[in-house]
Amino acid sequence: GAMTSVRFDFEGLRVRTDAQGKFSFPKVPAGHRQLARLVPNTMSGTSMTGWSTQPLKAIDVLPGETATIILGAAGSTVTARVRWPAGLARGEGGKVMGGLTTPLPNPPSELMKNPEKLRQWLAGPELQALARNARTVLFNENADGSFTAEDVEPGTYGVHLSLIGPPLEGRPPSIVAQAKTNVTVPAEPASGKLDLGELVLEPVPAR
């Protein structure tokens, strides 16, 4: 959309889109780059605003060439709602956050007791290629308490929503409750709508 902050990598370049949603990054170093959107987040019950980074697309930038991409031309809108279990409330300063992420394979069980082989497996070309092309789409909370993720490309995703509690007694914010599920976003229709219904938050034991 118009006037959106877009950037490459955490330490990289940052630009704002124009009124038509167009943007450009001049003189981007060659290599594998991650395009991301900066999303403002307001902590519920406060006026404090932070920022989260939503990965948009992985791009291979070639020396001396211009890479052109189109964002938001197709993709589904995924909606979910939260069911609060008895005895659990959002509380002042609590925030529900989450999104959809393409899953990565779990390491074989026999590698868990062999740190060197586990390191080699994690550094292997197949897993590294999957990690480079992994997609994450964040949920935005709507005024009615539902959550929406837009421009979700077809594929299988892990869905997660977490209730983040406010800092207590000098401790950083922590996950109070969490809901997880899996979903497959179909290729047709190209710009469909997918309603996940209610996701039940389950309390996370305090550590």
Side-chain angles (χ1 to χ4, degrees), residues 6 13 36 49 111 125 127 148 158 186:
V6 186
L13 305 170
T49 299
L111 298 185
L127 188 63
T148 300

Side-chain angles (χ1 to χ4, degrees), residues 35-162:
L35 185 67
R37 173 188 295 157
L38 290 176
V39 181
N41 292 313
T42 301
M43 184 67 76
S44 176
T46 75
S47 59
M48 299 176 58
T49 299
W51 295 88
S52 60
T53 303
Q54 177 177 338
L56 295 175
K57 196 174 186 66
I59 307 168
D60 289 314
V61 179
L62 303 178
E65 296 188 9
T66 298
T68 301
I69 61 172
I70 298 176
L71 299 173
S76 295
T77 297
V78 179
T79 302
R81 289 169 295 281
V82 169
R83 183 193 301 174
W84 298 85
L88 181 64
R90 185 172 194 149
E92 183 177 355
K95 184 172 180 61
V96 180
M97 303 177 64
L100 298 90
T101 304
T102 49
L104 294 176
N106 294 319
S109 58
E110 62 268 19
L111 298 185
M112 301 306 294
K113 296 182 180 180
N114 191 321
E116 178 58 26
K117 288 189 176 181
L118 178 61
R119 185 194 64 79
Q120 294 176 1
W121 183 85
L122 292 172
E126 292 185 6
L127 188 63
Q128 290 299 306
L130 289 173
R132 283 195 301 270
N133 295 306
R135 299 188 300 275
T136 297
V137 186
L138 299 180
F139 279 119
N140 293 312
E141 187 170 4
N142 304 311
D144 63 357
S146 63
F147 294 83
T148 300
E150 298 180 334
D151 301 330
V152 183
E153 297 181 14
T156 299
Y157 296 84
V159 181
H160 58 94
L161 280 167
S162 299

